[in-house]
Amino acid sequence: MFGLSPQELLVIAVIVVLLFGAKKVPEFFASLGKGIKEFKKAMHEEETEEKKEHQETKTERD
């Protein structure tokens, strides 16, 4: 994962906990997860709309 060893990831995790506190870290990752979920949902909706428009255009040409 990104070329980092488990020891390096552990050091980074400890630094993050020290900087932000143990209570804030889960809140941060929860909000990050929600943001990613919303982004994926928006991307899926956009792809669906594009496919629908493409099919409508194709139907009009025939």
Side-chain angles (χ1 to χ4, degrees), residues 25-37:
V25 173
E27 293 173 7
F28 170 74
F29 283 111
S31 63
L32 182 64
K34 287 178 185 177
I36 291 172
K37 183 188 280 187

Side-chain angles (χ1 to χ4, degrees), residues 7-9 14 19-20 31 38 49 52 57 61:
Q7 292 85 7
E8 292 170 331
L9 291 174
V14 169
L19 288 175
F20 298 106
S31 63
E38 288 295 320
E49 289 177 10
K52 185 177 178 181
T57 306
R61 289 183 191 169

Side-chain angles (χ1 to χ4, degrees), residues 40-56:
K40 287 182 178 180
K41 181 180 174 185
M43 291 296 294
H44 179 70
E45 289 175 356
E46 184 175 318
E47 289 175 0
T48 304
E49 289 177 10
E50 287 178 1
K51 287 180 182 178
K52 185 177 178 181
E53 289 175 4
H54 185 285
Q55 288 176 349
E56 289 175 357

